[in-house]
Amino acid sequence: MLDLLKKFLNKKQKDQQLSERDLNGRKHVGYPTLQLSREIDNLVKTKYKSIKPIVKMYKETLFFKWGPSVINNTLTDEQLAKLSGRNVQMVYLLLFRDMLRHIAAVIKIRYADEDWSEQFAQQVLDACKMLSDTDDKDIVKKQQLFANTELFTVDTPIDDQNPENTEIPVWAEPIAELIMLPPDMIYKCHRPLMTVILKKLKKNKKK
């Protein structure tokens, strides 16, 4: 299942040419990710053009590179078949919203309300109808996670040479559970991006 989204979403490739794993990836990861990405792009285009480069960097790296790669390399065929596309969307949105919360403390968006990061995330949630499925067994858990106002800590350095030395923040665990991943995978996707983005924003602010 190499290059997950490109392979899953290649319309020229007939379903018969895809393995069952690839088809599950298309259904449970590819299509839900595209829907989420489109709704984010629509909002950026109409209301948040000033943060387009930041959104593009975060979204393209997490949604279309690291996220699919981690899911592909970690989940078994059985787990991928059971993976909820709504849960994938929620995990991405929670991390994306945290990114917005972090940058909202550094930059101001012209004509936007102070809680613009919350409004942005809420509008995406509503547009994707993430909490509307009556048969969703994880809906209460996702409602609680989305209601959380905590700013995720991203200060703990990652020691790739000695993984046991990296203390994974508690916020990562319930998010990771939604898509059957170890918490450290979520943290190791989110923290590096936040480090780069915040460093760049703070540097530009000093100019």
Side-chain angles (χ1 to χ4, degrees):
M1 198 167 64
L2 299 175
D3 205 352
L4 190 74
L5 292 182
K6 285 184 179 180
K7 185 173 182 180
F8 288 169
L9 301 173
N10 184 355
K11 294 182 179 180
K12 294 181 180 179
Q13 190 171 20
K14 296 181 179 179
D15 288 352
Q16 292 88 335
Q17 295 176 306
L18 295 174
S19 67
E20 183 178 357
R21 181 177 178 85
D22 290 337
L23 289 170
N24 283 328
R26 172 185 284 183
K27 179 180 179 182
H28 303 307
V29 181
Y31 290 148
T33 301
L34 278 184
Q35 182 193 23
L36 176 63
S37 179
R38 280 196 299 266
E39 296 301 341
I40 289 173
D41 287 344
N42 288 340
L43 276 175
V44 170
K45 184 177 180 180
T46 57
K47 296 183 178 180
Y48 304 100
K49 291 181 180 179
S50 63
I51 60 170
K52 182 177 179 179
I54 299 171
V55 169
K56 182 179 180 181
M57 175 187 176
Y58 189 89
K59 186 166 62 74
E60 290 189 354
T61 305
L62 180 66
F63 294 8
F64 296 104
K65 293 180 182 178
W66 294 352
S69 178
V70 168
I71 290 172
N72 180 40
N73 294 331
T74 306
L75 299 191
T76 64
D77 290 349
E78 183 179 0
Q79 287 175 319
L80 187 60
K82 294 179 179 179
L83 182 64
S84 164
R86 291 297 191 202
N87 285 9
V88 171
Q89 287 183 330
M90 179 59 74
V91 168
Y92 285 163
L93 181 58
L94 290 171
L95 296 175
F96 181 81
R97 181 181 65 178
D98 185 67
M99 181 273 291
L100 296 181
R101 286 174 171 175
H102 275 280
I103 69 172
V106 180
I107 63 174
K108 299 295 181 182
I109 295 184
R110 196 174 184 182
Y111 305 125
D113 296 331
E114 287 189 9
D115 66 340
W116 65 265
S117 59
E118 308 305 314
Q119 293 182 30
F120 192 129
Q122 183 66 55
Q123 287 177 290
V124 173
L125 180 88
D126 294 340
C128 290
K129 299 180 180 179
M130 285 186 209
L131 300 176
S132 63
D133 295 338
T134 56
D135 60 344
D136 188 345
K137 63 182 179 61
D138 294 317
I139 194 166
V140 173
K141 182 186 296 184
K142 287 186 286 190
Q143 287 172 335
Q144 292 172 343
L145 286 170
F146 193 77
N148 185 12
T149 58
E150 171 193 8
L151 188 67
F152 298 160
T153 56
V154 291
D155 299 328
T156 304
I158 297 172
D159 187 346
D160 288 323
Q161 300 300 319
N162 303 283
E164 68 278 2
N165 293 338
T166 301
E167 185 177 348
I168 306 302
V170 295
W171 61 258
E173 185 171 348
I175 294 176
E177 285 178 355
L178 284 177
I179 53 175
M180 297 174 279
L181 290 179
D184 67 300
M185 296 292 188
I186 294 295
Y187 186 65
K188 290 176 180 178
C189 282
H190 188 55
R191 183 188 187 271
L193 277 170
M194 291 311 310
T195 300
V196 171
I197 289 171
L198 291 175
K199 183 177 180 180
K200 185 175 182 179
L201 286 177
K202 290 174 182 177
K203 182 179 180 180
N204 291 340
K205 193 174 182 180
K206 291 179 180 179
K207 292 181 179 180

PDB file of all heavy atoms in Angstrom, residues 152-178:
ATOM      1  N   PHE A 152      -2.663  21.658  23.427  1.00  0.00           N
ATOM      2  CA  PHE A 152      -1.787  20.495  23.542  1.00  0.00           C
ATOM      3  C   PHE A 152      -0.337  20.922  23.771  1.00  0.00           C
ATOM      4  O   PHE A 152       0.184  21.783  23.061  1.00  0.00           O
ATOM      5  CB  PHE A 152      -1.850  19.635  22.279  1.00  0.00           C
ATOM      6  CG  PHE A 152      -3.207  19.052  21.993  1.00  0.00           C
ATOM      7  CD1 PHE A 152      -3.526  18.607  20.719  1.00  0.00           C
ATOM      8  CD2 PHE A 152      -4.163  18.937  22.988  1.00  0.00           C
ATOM      9  CE1 PHE A 152      -4.770  18.065  20.440  1.00  0.00           C
ATOM     10  CE2 PHE A 152      -5.415  18.397  22.729  1.00  0.00           C
ATOM     11  CZ  PHE A 152      -5.719  17.960  21.444  1.00  0.00           C
ATOM     12  N   THR A 153       0.296  20.304  24.745  1.00  0.00           N
ATOM     13  CA  THR A 153       1.709  20.589  24.995  1.00  0.00           C
ATOM     14  C   THR A 153       2.561  19.906  23.930  1.00  0.00           C
ATOM     15  O   THR A 153       2.368  18.731  23.618  1.00  0.00           O
ATOM     16  CB  THR A 153       2.137  20.077  26.382  1.00  0.00           C
ATOM     17  OG1 THR A 153       1.834  18.675  26.478  1.00  0.00           O
ATOM     18  CG2 THR A 153       1.402  20.813  27.482  1.00  0.00           C
ATOM     19  N   VAL A 154       3.495  20.663  23.383  1.00  0.00           N
ATOM     20  CA  VAL A 154       4.382  20.114  22.350  1.00  0.00           C
ATOM     21  C   VAL A 154       5.843  20.418  22.685  1.00  0.00           C
ATOM     22  O   VAL A 154       6.694  20.485  21.801  1.00  0.00           O
ATOM     23  CB  VAL A 154       4.027  20.683  20.958  1.00  0.00           C
ATOM     24  CG1 VAL A 154       2.685  20.156  20.483  1.00  0.00           C
ATOM     25  CG2 VAL A 154       4.028  22.210  20.970  1.00  0.00           C
ATOM     26  N   ASP A 155       6.118  20.605  23.970  1.00  0.00           N
ATOM     27  CA  ASP A 155       7.455  21.009  24.404  1.00  0.00           C
ATOM     28  C   ASP A 155       8.423  19.847  24.600  1.00  0.00           C
ATOM     29  O   ASP A 155       9.637  20.040  24.564  1.00  0.00           O
ATOM     30  CB  ASP A 155       7.369  21.795  25.722  1.00  0.00           C
ATOM     31  CG  ASP A 155       6.545  23.063  25.580  1.00  0.00           C
ATOM     32  OD1 ASP A 155       6.560  23.644  24.483  1.00  0.00           O
ATOM     33  OD2 ASP A 155       5.888  23.454  26.555  1.00  0.00           O
ATOM     34  N   THR A 156       7.902  18.654  24.841  1.00  0.00           N
ATOM     35  CA  THR A 156       8.776  17.517  25.120  1.00  0.00           C
ATOM     36  C   THR A 156       9.544  17.101  23.869  1.00  0.00           C
ATOM     37  O   THR A 156       8.935  16.735  22.858  1.00  0.00           O
ATOM     38  CB  THR A 156       7.962  16.308  25.620  1.00  0.00           C
ATOM     39  OG1 THR A 156       7.202  16.695  26.760  1.00  0.00           O
ATOM     40  CG2 THR A 156       8.889  15.157  25.988  1.00  0.00           C
ATOM     41  N   PRO A 157      10.879  17.154  23.915  1.00  0.00           N
ATOM     42  CA  PRO A 157      11.684  16.757  22.750  1.00  0.00           C
ATOM     43  C   PRO A 157      11.501  15.275  22.437  1.00  0.00           C
ATOM     44  O   PRO A 157      11.196  14.468  23.314  1.00  0.00           O
ATOM     45  CB  PRO A 157      13.122  17.043  23.201  1.00  0.00           C
ATOM     46  CG  PRO A 157      12.993  17.983  24.350  1.00  0.00           C
ATOM     47  CD  PRO A 157      11.710  17.628  25.027  1.00  0.00           C
ATOM     48  N   ILE A 158      11.696  14.933  21.180  1.00  0.00           N
ATOM     49  CA  ILE A 158      11.601  13.540  20.747  1.00  0.00           C
ATOM     50  C   ILE A 158      13.004  12.965  20.601  1.00  0.00           C
ATOM     51  O   ILE A 158      13.827  13.499  19.861  1.00  0.00           O
ATOM     52  CB  ILE A 158      10.850  13.434  19.407  1.00  0.00           C
ATOM     53  CG1 ILE A 158       9.406  13.918  19.574  1.00  0.00           C
ATOM     54  CG2 ILE A 158      10.872  12.001  18.883  1.00  0.00           C
ATOM     55  CD1 ILE A 158       8.649  14.036  18.268  1.00  0.00           C
ATOM     56  N   ASP A 159      13.273  11.894  21.331  1.00  0.00           N
ATOM     57  CA  ASP A 159      14.570  11.225  21.262  1.00  0.00           C
ATOM     58  C   ASP A 159      14.409   9.953  20.436  1.00  0.00           C
ATOM     59  O   ASP A 159      14.046   8.900  20.951  1.00  0.00           O
ATOM     60  CB  ASP A 159      15.065  10.892  22.678  1.00  0.00           C
ATOM     61  CG  ASP A 159      16.494  10.351  22.687  1.00  0.00           C
ATOM     62  OD1 ASP A 159      16.996   9.992  21.598  1.00  0.00           O
ATOM     63  OD2 ASP A 159      17.098  10.281  23.771  1.00  0.00           O
ATOM     64  N   ASP A 160      14.675  10.055  19.141  1.00  0.00           N
ATOM     65  CA  ASP A 160      14.496   8.904  18.255  1.00  0.00           C
ATOM     66  C   ASP A 160      15.495   7.790  18.535  1.00  0.00           C
ATOM     67  O   ASP A 160      15.226   6.618  18.258  1.00  0.00           O
ATOM     68  CB  ASP A 160      14.622   9.341  16.788  1.00  0.00           C
ATOM     69  CG  ASP A 160      13.422  10.163  16.335  1.00  0.00           C
ATOM     70  OD1 ASP A 160      12.308   9.840  16.775  1.00  0.00           O
ATOM     71  OD2 ASP A 160      13.608  11.118  15.567  1.00  0.00           O
ATOM     72  N   GLN A 161      16.659   8.149  19.061  1.00  0.00           N
ATOM     73  CA  GLN A 161      17.668   7.140  19.360  1.00  0.00           C
ATOM     74  C   GLN A 161      17.299   6.320  20.596  1.00  0.00           C
ATOM     75  O   GLN A 161      17.636   5.140  20.698  1.00  0.00           O
ATOM     76  CB  GLN A 161      19.029   7.822  19.579  1.00  0.00           C
ATOM     77  CG  GLN A 161      19.525   8.608  18.376  1.00  0.00           C
ATOM     78  CD  GLN A 161      19.692   7.739  17.143  1.00  0.00           C
ATOM     79  OE1 GLN A 161      20.172   6.613  17.228  1.00  0.00           O
ATOM     80  NE2 GLN A 161      19.277   8.257  15.990  1.00  0.00           N
ATOM     81  N   ASN A 162      16.613   6.977  21.520  1.00  0.00           N
ATOM     82  CA  ASN A 162      16.188   6.310  22.756  1.00  0.00           C
ATOM     83  C   ASN A 162      14.720   6.644  23.014  1.00  0.00           C
ATOM     84  O   ASN A 162      14.411   7.523  23.822  1.00  0.00           O
ATOM     85  CB  ASN A 162      17.046   6.759  23.940  1.00  0.00           C
ATOM     86  CG  ASN A 162      18.524   6.498  23.710  1.00  0.00           C
ATOM     87  OD1 ASN A 162      18.999   5.371  23.815  1.00  0.00           O
ATOM     88  ND2 ASN A 162      19.263   7.555  23.381  1.00  0.00           N
ATOM     89  N   PRO A 163      13.808   5.971  22.316  1.00  0.00           N
ATOM     90  CA  PRO A 163      12.374   6.276  22.409  1.00  0.00           C
ATOM     91  C   PRO A 163      11.830   6.282  23.833  1.00  0.00           C
ATOM     92  O   PRO A 163      10.897   7.024  24.143  1.00  0.00           O
ATOM     93  CB  PRO A 163      11.730   5.150  21.584  1.00  0.00           C
ATOM     94  CG  PRO A 163      12.805   4.704  20.651  1.00  0.00           C
ATOM     95  CD  PRO A 163      14.083   4.848  21.414  1.00  0.00           C
ATOM     96  N   GLU A 164      12.422   5.451  24.688  1.00  0.00           N
ATOM     97  CA  GLU A 164      11.929   5.373  26.060  1.00  0.00           C
ATOM     98  C   GLU A 164      12.155   6.672  26.828  1.00  0.00           C
ATOM     99  O   GLU A 164      11.550   6.909  27.877  1.00  0.00           O
ATOM    100  CB  GLU A 164      12.598   4.210  26.804  1.00  0.00           C
ATOM    101  CG  GLU A 164      14.088   4.369  27.079  1.00  0.00           C
ATOM    102  CD  GLU A 164      14.968   4.005  25.879  1.00  0.00           C
ATOM    103  OE1 GLU A 164      14.406   3.666  24.821  1.00  0.00           O
ATOM    104  OE2 GLU A 164      16.202   4.060  26.018  1.00  0.00           O
ATOM    105  N   ASN A 165      13.020   7.532  26.306  1.00  0.00           N
ATOM    106  CA  ASN A 165      13.305   8.805  26.967  1.00  0.00           C
ATOM    107  C   ASN A 165      12.303   9.901  26.606  1.00  0.00           C
ATOM    108  O   ASN A 165      12.324  10.980  27.187  1.00  0.00           O
ATOM    109  CB  ASN A 165      14.715   9.290  26.601  1.00  0.00           C
ATOM    110  CG  ASN A 165      15.794   8.388  27.172  1.00  0.00           C
ATOM    111  OD1 ASN A 165      15.563   7.665  28.137  1.00  0.00           O
ATOM    112  ND2 ASN A 165      16.977   8.423  26.572  1.00  0.00           N
ATOM    113  N   THR A 166      11.450   9.635  25.627  1.00  0.00           N
ATOM    114  CA  THR A 166      10.453  10.623  25.216  1.00  0.00           C
ATOM    115  C   THR A 166       9.159  10.398  25.993  1.00  0.00           C
ATOM    116  O   THR A 166       8.507   9.369  25.850  1.00  0.00           O
ATOM    117  CB  THR A 166      10.167  10.527  23.704  1.00  0.00           C
ATOM    118  OG1 THR A 166      11.379  10.745  22.976  1.00  0.00           O
ATOM    119  CG2 THR A 166       9.142  11.575  23.288  1.00  0.00           C
ATOM    120  N   GLU A 167       8.814  11.373  26.819  1.00  0.00           N
ATOM    121  CA  GLU A 167       7.582  11.275  27.607  1.00  0.00           C
ATOM    122  C   GLU A 167       6.421  11.813  26.773  1.00  0.00           C
ATOM    123  O   GLU A 167       6.349  13.005  26.478  1.00  0.00           O
ATOM    124  CB  GLU A 167       7.716  12.077  28.899  1.00  0.00           C
ATOM    125  CG  GLU A 167       6.519  11.932  29.825  1.00  0.00           C
ATOM    126  CD  GLU A 167       6.705  12.676  31.132  1.00  0.00           C
ATOM    127  OE1 GLU A 167       7.837  13.112  31.414  1.00  0.00           O
ATOM    128  OE2 GLU A 167       5.712  12.823  31.863  1.00  0.00           O
ATOM    129  N   ILE A 168       5.530  10.920  26.374  1.00  0.00           N
ATOM    130  CA  ILE A 168       4.414  11.305  25.513  1.00  0.00           C
ATOM    131  C   ILE A 168       3.321  11.968  26.350  1.00  0.00           C
ATOM    132  O   ILE A 168       2.852  11.393  27.333  1.00  0.00           O
ATOM    133  CB  ILE A 168       3.838  10.076  24.779  1.00  0.00           C
ATOM    134  CG1 ILE A 168       4.952   9.340  24.020  1.00  0.00           C
ATOM    135  CG2 ILE A 168       2.728  10.508  23.822  1.00  0.00           C
ATOM    136  CD1 ILE A 168       5.687  10.181  23.010  1.00  0.00           C
ATOM    137  N   PRO A 169       2.886  13.178  25.983  1.00  0.00           N
ATOM    138  CA  PRO A 169       1.836  13.880  26.738  1.00  0.00           C
ATOM    139  C   PRO A 169       0.536  13.074  26.777  1.00  0.00           C
ATOM    140  O   PRO A 169       0.211  12.353  25.827  1.00  0.00           O
ATOM    141  CB  PRO A 169       1.648  15.180  25.951  1.00  0.00           C
ATOM    142  CG  PRO A 169       2.930  15.368  25.215  1.00  0.00           C
ATOM    143  CD  PRO A 169       3.402  13.991  24.870  1.00  0.00           C
ATOM    144  N   VAL A 170      -0.206  13.227  27.858  1.00  0.00           N
ATOM    145  CA  VAL A 170      -1.424  12.436  28.049  1.00  0.00           C
ATOM    146  C   VAL A 170      -2.498  12.755  27.014  1.00  0.00           C
ATOM    147  O   VAL A 170      -3.370  11.923  26.738  1.00  0.00           O
ATOM    148  CB  VAL A 170      -1.993  12.635  29.471  1.00  0.00           C
ATOM    149  CG1 VAL A 170      -1.037  12.085  30.503  1.00  0.00           C
ATOM    150  CG2 VAL A 170      -2.278  14.110  29.745  1.00  0.00           C
ATOM    151  N   TRP A 171      -2.466  13.947  26.428  1.00  0.00           N
ATOM    152  CA  TRP A 171      -3.511  14.317  25.471  1.00  0.00           C
ATOM    153  C   TRP A 171      -3.501  13.423  24.236  1.00  0.00           C
ATOM    154  O   TRP A 171      -4.525  13.278  23.549  1.00  0.00           O
ATOM    155  CB  TRP A 171      -3.385  15.782  25.047  1.00  0.00           C
ATOM    156  CG  TRP A 171      -2.103  16.168  24.355  1.00  0.00           C
ATOM    157  CD1 TRP A 171      -1.034  16.823  24.911  1.00  0.00           C
ATOM    158  CD2 TRP A 171      -1.753  15.941  22.979  1.00  0.00           C
ATOM    159  NE1 TRP A 171      -0.043  17.016  23.981  1.00  0.00           N
ATOM    160  CE2 TRP A 171      -0.457  16.484  22.781  1.00  0.00           C
ATOM    161  CE3 TRP A 171      -2.395  15.345  21.900  1.00  0.00           C
ATOM    162  CZ2 TRP A 171       0.200  16.441  21.551  1.00  0.00           C
ATOM    163  CZ3 TRP A 171      -1.742  15.288  20.671  1.00  0.00           C
ATOM    164  CH2 TRP A 171      -0.464  15.830  20.503  1.00  0.00           C
ATOM    165  N   ALA A 172      -2.351  12.829  23.934  1.00  0.00           N
ATOM    166  CA  ALA A 172      -2.224  12.043  22.702  1.00  0.00           C
ATOM    167  C   ALA A 172      -2.946  10.697  22.779  1.00  0.00           C
ATOM    168  O   ALA A 172      -3.366  10.154  21.748  1.00  0.00           O
ATOM    169  CB  ALA A 172      -0.749  11.819  22.382  1.00  0.00           C
ATOM    170  N   GLU A 173      -3.108  10.166  23.978  1.00  0.00           N
ATOM    171  CA  GLU A 173      -3.657   8.810  24.113  1.00  0.00           C
ATOM    172  C   GLU A 173      -5.097   8.663  23.614  1.00  0.00           C
ATOM    173  O   GLU A 173      -5.368   7.785  22.779  1.00  0.00           O
ATOM    174  CB  GLU A 173      -3.552   8.342  25.564  1.00  0.00           C
ATOM    175  CG  GLU A 173      -3.988   6.898  25.741  1.00  0.00           C
ATOM    176  CD  GLU A 173      -3.682   6.361  27.128  1.00  0.00           C
ATOM    177  OE1 GLU A 173      -2.932   7.021  27.880  1.00  0.00           O
ATOM    178  OE2 GLU A 173      -4.191   5.271  27.459  1.00  0.00           O
ATOM    179  N   PRO A 174      -6.058   9.469  24.098  1.00  0.00           N
ATOM    180  CA  PRO A 174      -7.439   9.279  23.619  1.00  0.00           C
ATOM    181  C   PRO A 174      -7.602   9.577  22.134  1.00  0.00           C
ATOM    182  O   PRO A 174      -8.471   8.997  21.473  1.00  0.00           O
ATOM    183  CB  PRO A 174      -8.252  10.256  24.478  1.00  0.00           C
ATOM    184  CG  PRO A 174      -7.268  11.279  24.933  1.00  0.00           C
ATOM    185  CD  PRO A 174      -5.977  10.542  25.104  1.00  0.00           C
ATOM    186  N   ILE A 175      -6.777  10.469  21.610  1.00  0.00           N
ATOM    187  CA  ILE A 175      -6.841  10.773  20.176  1.00  0.00           C
ATOM    188  C   ILE A 175      -6.329   9.579  19.379  1.00  0.00           C
ATOM    189  O   ILE A 175      -6.940   9.158  18.390  1.00  0.00           O
ATOM    190  CB  ILE A 175      -6.018  12.038  19.857  1.00  0.00           C
ATOM    191  CG1 ILE A 175      -6.659  13.256  20.529  1.00  0.00           C
ATOM    192  CG2 ILE A 175      -5.920  12.254  18.348  1.00  0.00           C
ATOM    193  CD1 ILE A 175      -5.885  14.540  20.352  1.00  0.00           C
ATOM    194  N   ALA A 176      -5.217   9.018  19.823  1.00  0.00           N
ATOM    195  CA  ALA A 176      -4.630   7.869  19.132  1.00  0.00           C
ATOM    196  C   ALA A 176      -5.562   6.664  19.145  1.00  0.00           C
ATOM    197  O   ALA A 176      -5.634   5.904  18.173  1.00  0.00           O
ATOM    198  CB  ALA A 176      -3.295   7.509  19.780  1.00  0.00           C
ATOM    199  N   GLU A 177      -6.284   6.493  20.246  1.00  0.00           N
ATOM    200  CA  GLU A 177      -7.197   5.352  20.374  1.00  0.00           C
ATOM    201  C   GLU A 177      -8.274   5.353  19.292  1.00  0.00           C
ATOM    202  O   GLU A 177      -8.733   4.293  18.871  1.00  0.00           O
ATOM    203  CB  GLU A 177      -7.861   5.362  21.754  1.00  0.00           C
ATOM    204  CG  GLU A 177      -6.944   4.929  22.886  1.00  0.00           C
ATOM    205  CD  GLU A 177      -7.628   4.997  24.239  1.00  0.00           C
ATOM    206  OE1 GLU A 177      -8.786   5.483  24.292  1.00  0.00           O
ATOM    207  OE2 GLU A 177      -7.020   4.571  25.238  1.00  0.00           O
ATOM    208  N   LEU A 178      -8.668   6.532  18.847  1.00  0.00           N
ATOM    209  CA  LEU A 178      -9.723   6.625  17.836  1.00  0.00           C
ATOM    210  C   LEU A 178      -9.350   5.912  16.543  1.00  0.00           C
ATOM    211  O   LEU A 178     -10.217   5.404  15.827  1.00  0.00           O
ATOM    212  CB  LEU A 178     -10.038   8.096  17.525  1.00  0.00           C
ATOM    213  CG  LEU A 178     -10.872   8.868  18.541  1.00  0.00           C
ATOM    214  CD1 LEU A 178     -11.015  10.314  18.096  1.00  0.00           C
ATOM    215  CD2 LEU A 178     -12.247   8.235  18.724  1.00  0.00           C
TER     216      LEU A 178
END
